[in-house]
Amino acid sequence: MVRARRNDDLPSALHLTEPSACQALVDLAVREYGRIDVLFNNAAMAYFNWLEDITNEEWNAICGKK
């Protein structure tokens, strides 16, 4: 159940194969909203594993970087 809804968003552009860019976006979201409750990956490839267990190489494959 959603208890409160903010009518704002956090548009961002980043290269998903760069771990530092992903970390910067997470840091920005936490600074702005205090925490991340849900993270939705809308990339075109599915990889079934816990996010923290995916290696950089696997993440690069998901994002199409060779």
Side-chain angles (χ1 to χ4, degrees):
M1 179 173 144
V2 176
R3 293 183 182 194
R5 178 186 167 123
R6 291 177 63 160
N7 290 326
D8 58 351
D9 55 15
L10 194 58
S12 302
L14 67 140
H15 201 293
L16 292 176
T17 62
E18 298 298 329
S20 61
C22 296
Q23 186 62 57
L25 182 58
V26 168
D27 295 342
L28 177 62
V30 171
R31 273 195 315 275
E32 179 68 22
Y33 301 110
R35 65 184 191 200
I36 297 173
D37 292 324
V38 176
L39 181 63
F40 181 76
N41 177 2
N42 196 26
M45 179 179 169
Y47 186 83
F48 299 99
N49 201 351
W50 292 107
L51 183 60
E52 63 267 16
D53 294 334
I54 295 175
T55 66
N56 285 341
E57 291 77 20
E58 292 166 336
W59 184 251
N60 289 342
I62 291 168
C63 296
K65 183 177 178 183
K66 296 186 188 241

